[in-house]
Amino acid sequence: MYQGLLHLHNIGRWILILLLVIAIINAFAGMRRNEPFSRGQKKIGLFLMITAHTMLLVGLYQWFVGPWGLKQIQELGMGGVMKNSISRFWAVEHILGMLIAIVLITVGRSASKKAIADKAKHKKMFWMFFIAFILIMASVPWPGRQVGRPLLPGTERQAEIYNDPAE
């Protein structure tokens, strides 16, 4: 089950990033053109928030059950985790960056439900989503990084992909 959810989490990042880019572009265009806030923009924001929260739930399961989150903290202690860059990334940096990004996405999405001017909605959504995008891009284990994962699951040898501590 862990492996399947890991693949789902890997594929889900692309859906999240795509929805986030679309939402940022829409918010920027709406802000610049002073357009009314549309139902389509609300739906994209909703799908973005649902995807982000689903990824959060999958990620929390991985953090609590998998080998790189809570287990590393229990085995090495927080001091040991912080001294090891790979352990620190998975146990602290990745989850913290993503949690902050998901909070920003949720706050940005909540702007669409408020009775404020449409330009203010677009502006708030744009900045919240843009900052969330930067955090997500910095917190994703891109290939080529020390903690890197493949762009799509199953494209490299499993131990190399997931930095299996057993090997």
Side-chain angles (χ1 to χ4, degrees):
M1 184 159 129
Y2 176 80
Q3 195 72 15
L5 287 175
L6 194 57
H7 290 322
L8 174 67
H9 199 64
N10 188 328
I11 292 169
R13 77 171 146 182
W14 295 111
I15 297 167
L16 180 68
I17 289 169
L18 177 65
L19 287 170
L20 192 52
V21 167
I22 292 168
I24 289 169
I25 291 169
N26 282 342
F28 184 74
M31 183 175 64
R32 298 293 282 172
R33 296 182 194 142
N34 203 13
E35 295 175 343
F37 201 81
S38 70
R39 282 186 58 196
Q41 289 169 314
K42 282 185 181 180
K43 284 184 180 181
I44 289 172
L46 177 63
F47 292 143
L48 172 62
M49 190 177 72
I50 290 170
T51 302
H53 287 205
T54 302
M55 295 296 288
L56 173 64
L57 292 175
V58 172
L60 285 174
Y61 173 83
Q62 292 174 305
W63 193 85
F64 282 106
V65 174
W68 285 104
L70 182 61
K71 188 179 277 186
Q72 284 289 299
I73 294 171
Q74 290 171 337
E75 290 175 4
L76 302 175
M78 199 60 176
V81 166
M82 296 306 281
K83 290 176 187 170
N84 181 315
S85 62
I86 294 173
S87 295
R88 182 180 60 241
F89 177 81
W90 291 114
V92 179
E93 295 170 4
H94 179 69
I95 191 168
L96 185 62
M98 294 302 180
L99 280 171
I100 294 169
I102 291 169
V103 166
L104 290 171
I105 288 169
T106 304
V107 169
R109 164 60 170 75
S110 72
S112 68
K113 299 190 299 185
K114 293 187 178 179
I116 57 176
D118 288 340
K119 188 170 184 170
K121 287 180 186 182
H122 289 301
K123 186 176 182 179
K124 184 172 185 177
M125 287 181 75
F126 172 77
W127 285 111
M128 294 291 142
F129 291 169
F130 184 72
I131 295 167
F133 179 77
I134 291 170
L135 283 170
I136 288 170
M137 296 306 279
S139 300
V140 167
W142 296 109
R145 290 180 71 173
Q146 186 179 15
V147 293
R149 298 255 171 102
L151 293 177
L152 294 171
T155 57
E156 294 180 20
R157 195 173 151 283
Q158 293 298 318
E160 293 169 359
I161 295 170
Y162 301 112
N163 301 319
D164 190 353
E167 292 199 9

